[in-house]
C-alpha cells in the first residue's frame, strides 16, 4: 500500500497539516490514542493570532469556552496579587478535547485516520517504508513518499531517524480539571491566574484557568517542573490544590481526590531543533521544538507548522527536493516566530537562575509596579514578538534591579 504522505500524530500539528495538504494526495494519519481528542495533554490556551489561524479552517468559536482579557499574578507568599487587563481578549480558553475531535472529524475525504495505531519505526532505515501496528493486529509495512513526525515532544519519528534532531530538555506539566469556581478578584471567567511560588515549583510556576465544561463552571489547575523533578509534580499539584482550597481561592464541587480529568506530559524547552528534515521526512509541532521555552506555548507553533509544511510537502512532491528544509524560514514569516523561540530561550535562561522565593518576590514587585501596561506588553511579546525585557529594564527600577541581581547571585549557590 503506497501513500503520498504519512503523518504520525493526530493532534494540533498533524491534524492542521491534514486539513491543508492538496486534496488529490493520498494521506494516512496514524495515532496511538483510542479516539481523536480522547485525551489532549494541554491546557488549551490560544492567543489571538492562533485563534485566527484556526478560524481560517475550523469553526473555532464553537470550541472557545471563555475569552480571557486579564492576567492575575499571585506572589510567592500568596499574600499579594495584582491584575493586569486589556480591552480585548488576549488569549482564549478552548475545550481541548472537543477541538481536537472536531479537527479530526472535518479532515478532507483524501485523509484516512487510523487511531489505536502506533508508528514503530522504519524498515532497515528506509524512510519510504514504515512499520506500524494497530491494536491487536500484526505489524504492517506502509510505503510513503513523505513521512511527517507530528508525534509530540518525545517524537518516535525523530528517535528512529538518527539524522533528525530530538528534543533533549523538557518541563513536565501536570494538570487536573475540576468542576467548581474560582473566587479570586472580580472577573474570574475572564482571567488567567499565574502563581510564582519559586521554591515550590521551580522551572515554571502554577496556573489556574477558569473554564466551562458541559455548561458548568470548572477550572484547570496545574504546575510544571523541570523534567528532573517530574516525580514530585503529582504530589505538588495536590498540595497546590489544598493550598488554594484553604485560602478559599477555589471551591470544588465533589471530592478533591476525584478530579474530572488528569494528565501530565513533557513540554520541550530546548528551542527549535537543528535537523528537522532528512530525505523525505520532516518534523513539525512539538517534535520540531516549536514551543516557547519560557511560556510553554506550543499550539501556535503546531498549527503554523502544520499549515506551512503543507505547502512545502506539495513542492517536494512536485520535485523540489530542498523544499522541506524551508520550514523555519516559512514559519518566521509569521511575525518572526522562530526569533520568538530564540528570545524565549533567553527568558528561560534567566528564569532557571531564579531559585528562591525572595528572588521571585523581587521580580514580582517590579512587574506589579508595571501592572497598568504589563499585559499589553506581554501580549505584544507573544503575538507581535516584541521584547519583554523593556517592561522591567527601566531607570526608575534601578534599586529594585540591583536587589534582584544580588538575589540571583546568591541563588547561584543554592541547590535546586
Ligand atoms: C500541561 C500542559 C499544558 C499546556 N498548555 C498549553 C497552552 O495552554 N497553550 C499552548 O499553546 N500550549 C500548551 N502546552 C503545549 C501544547 O500542548 C503542545 O505544544 C501541543 O500540544 C503540541 O502539539 P503537537 O500536535 O505538536 O503534539 P501533541 O499534542 O503532543 O500530539 C502528538 C500526538 O502524537 C501521538 N503519538 C506520539 N507517539 C506516537 C507513535 N509512536 N505512534 C502514533 N502516534 C503517536 C500522540 O498520541 C499525540 O496524539 C501545554 C503542554 C502541557 C504538557
Amino acid at each position: 500500500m503506497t501513500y503520498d504522505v504519512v503523518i504520525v500524530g493526530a493532534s494540533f500539528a498533524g491534524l492542521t497539516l491534514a486539513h491543508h495538504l492538496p486534496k488529490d494526495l493520498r494521506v494516512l494519519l496514524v495515532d496511538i490514542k483510542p479516539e481523536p481528542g480522547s485525551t489532549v495533554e494541554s491546557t488549551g490556551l490560544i492567543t489571538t493570532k492562533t485563534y485566527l489561524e484556526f478560524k481560517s479552517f475550523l469553526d473555532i468559536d464553537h470550541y472557545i469556552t471563555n475569552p480571557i482579557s486579564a492576567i492575575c499574578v499571585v506572589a510567592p507568599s500568596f499574600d499579594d496579587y495584582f491584575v493586569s487587563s486589556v480591552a480585548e481578549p488576549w488569549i482564549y480558553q478552548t475545550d481541548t478535547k472537543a477541538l481536537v475531535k472536531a479537527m479530526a472529524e472535518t479532515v478532507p475525504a483524501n485523509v484516512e485516520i487510523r487511531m489505536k495505531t502506533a508508528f514503530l519505526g522504519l524498515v532497515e532505515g528506509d524512510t519510504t517504508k514504515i512499520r506500524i501496528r494497530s491494536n491487536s493486529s500484526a505489524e504492517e509495512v506502509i510505503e510513503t513518499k513523505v513521512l511527517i513526525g507530528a508525534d509530540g515532544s518525545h517524537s518516535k519519528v525523530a528517535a528512529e531517524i538518527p539524522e533528525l534532531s530530538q528534543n533533549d530538555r523538557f518541563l513536565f506539566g501536570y494538570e487536573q480539571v475540576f468542576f467548581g469556581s474560582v473566587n479570586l478578584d472580580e472577573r474570574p471567567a475572564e482571567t488567567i491566574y499565574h502563581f510564582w511560588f519559586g521554591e515550590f515549583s521551580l522551572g515554571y510556576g502554577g496556573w489556574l484557568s477558569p473554564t466551562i465544561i458541559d455548561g458548568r463552571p470548572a477550572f484547570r489547575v496545574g504546575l510544571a517542573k523541570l523534567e528532573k523533578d517530574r516525580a514530585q509534580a503529582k504530589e505538588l499539584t495536590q498540595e497546590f490544590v489544598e493550598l488554594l482550597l484553604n485560602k478559599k481561592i477555589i471551591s470544588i464541587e465533589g471530592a478533591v481526590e476525584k478530579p474530572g480529568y488528569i494528565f501530565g506530559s513533557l513540554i520541550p524547552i530546548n528551542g527549535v531543533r537543528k535537523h528537522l528534515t532528512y530525505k523525505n521526512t520532516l518534523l513539525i509541532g512539538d517534535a520540531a521544538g516549536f514551543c516557547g521555552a519560557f511560556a510553554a506555548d506550543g499550539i501556535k507553533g503546531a498549527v503554523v507548522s502544520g499549515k506551512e509544511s503543507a505547502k512545502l510537502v506539495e513542492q517536494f512532491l512536485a520535485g523540489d527536493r530542498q523544499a522541506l528544509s524551508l520550514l523555519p524560514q516559512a514559519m518566521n514569516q509569521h511575525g518572526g516566530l522562530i526569533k520568538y523561540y530564540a528570545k524565549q530561550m533567553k527568558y528561560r535562561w534567566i528564569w532557571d537562575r531564579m531559585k528562591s522565593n525572595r528572588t521571585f518576590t523581587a521580580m514580582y514587585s517590579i512587574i506589579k509596579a508595571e501592572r497598568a501596561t504589563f499585559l499589553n506588553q506581554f501580549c505584544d511579546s507573544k503575538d507581535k514578538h516584541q521584547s519583554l525585557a523593556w517592561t522591567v529594564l527601566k531607570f526608575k527600577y534601578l534599586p529594585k534591579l540591583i536587589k534582584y541581581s544580588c538575589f540571583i547571585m546568591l541563588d547561584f549557590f543554592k541547590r535546586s
Side-chain angles (χ1 to χ4, degrees), residues 200 223 232-246:
F200 192 73
L223 51 79
Q232 308 163 10
K234 183 177 176 194
E235 202 181 302
L236 285 181
T237 308
Q238 276 157 358
E239 242 181 90
F240 179 34
V241 170
E242 291 293 343
L243 210 67
L244 294 173
L245 278 170
N246 291 340

Side-chain angles (χ1 to χ4, degrees), residues 9 11-13 31-33 42-45 119 151 267 285-286 296 298-299:
S11 183
F12 298 109
D31 198 296
I32 210 161
K33 288 180 182 169
S42 184
T43 310
L45 291 163
F119 165 79
D151 49 346
I267 304 169
D286 268 14
I299 300 178

Side-chain angles (χ1 to χ4, degrees), residues 85 125 275 292 360:
S85 52
H275 302 291
F360 282 91

